[in-house]
Amino acid sequence: MKNTKQIFTTILTLSAVAFLTACGSSNQVGSSDLSSRVTPTDNTSSSTKPLAYCNQASGSDITAKLRAYVDASNNVRMDYAYARLTALPATFKSDQTYIAMWKWMTNTSGATYLDPTPLQFLVANASTGQVLTGWKTTLRWSDVVTIASGMGITDPQTFFNSVNILVDLKDTQGEYDVLRISNYDLSTNKMLNQVDGLLPLFYANPADYAFEATGATRATVLQNLHPFKNYKDQGYSAAQFTSMAQGLCF
């Protein structure tokens, strides 16, 4: 993954909080298969199934791409993920709103649990890997407008197309399924819009994703978030799903 080594090195010097253990537990939603993410220690037949290292989530006024975090040793880390905001609300661009991020999980029955603690994240230059902010739990345009100006950028969307957001999931076991990005009114703190996206890694073929490691049918709420749900059982090959998933990367 491009520039991972530079970002990883900077993270080590920024804050020890990045390496805290996972927050929350699957027993809060009952029995589950430790989420829909394929962990590095997964002992299923994942090696024969196409995996999605990237994802895209589109909602009302917000679109985000997600990417699995791979460290300097080329190991996938469950406790981090990259995000890129590819479409922003007009209210965010005019500095009337701010963004926060959350994680949630579910079980086979569809019961969900939203971790009430907002996630920490930082912003890094996508081209150089240079970390541009400290760890934050909220973000508004005025927080980075000076940084953007220093890069010769005055438009919010151009700036966010040029940076990666590293999200500290505090989830070393990969228990949580979904990253939620929410946009809030600056004056009232009321949530205006949000988008949910499956956290990579997950099975790129929606037919594979439809079942947990135990063989139980995965919760419908998660299946509906799969980026290729409309291609289920349409005869696409593993190579095609792999290529489609790679097309979502950044």
Side-chain angles (χ1 to χ4, degrees), residues 114-140:
L114 176 71
D115 188 333
T117 303
L119 296 172
Q120 291 188 315
F121 54 87
L122 57 77
V123 179
N125 187 310
S127 297
T128 66
Q130 178 187 5
V131 172
L132 303 175
T133 70
W135 292 105
K136 306 178 71 65
T137 55
T138 63
L139 182 68
R140 53 185 292 197

Side-chain angles (χ1 to χ4, degrees), residues 167-232:
V167 186
D168 182 3
L169 299 170
K170 291 185 171 62
D171 184 20
T172 56
Q173 299 302 310
E175 295 182 285
Y176 283 80
D177 303 289
V178 179
L179 178 70
R180 171 171 292 176
I181 303 174
S182 303
N183 187 43
Y184 296 87
D185 183 90
L186 189 61
S187 300
T188 65
N189 295 316
K190 178 182 178 181
M191 194 274 291
L192 301 177
N193 39 49
Q194 63 187 23
V195 64
D196 290 330
L198 294 178
L199 285 162
L201 298 171
F202 56 86
Y203 293 123
N205 185 336
D208 294 334
Y209 184 79
F211 297 95
E212 298 184 354
T214 61
T217 300
R218 197 175 302 284
T220 301
V221 66
L222 293 180
Q223 292 192 55
N224 287 340
L225 289 177
H226 196 285
F228 310 130
K229 63 181 179 181
N230 294 331
Y231 300 97
K232 183 180 178 182

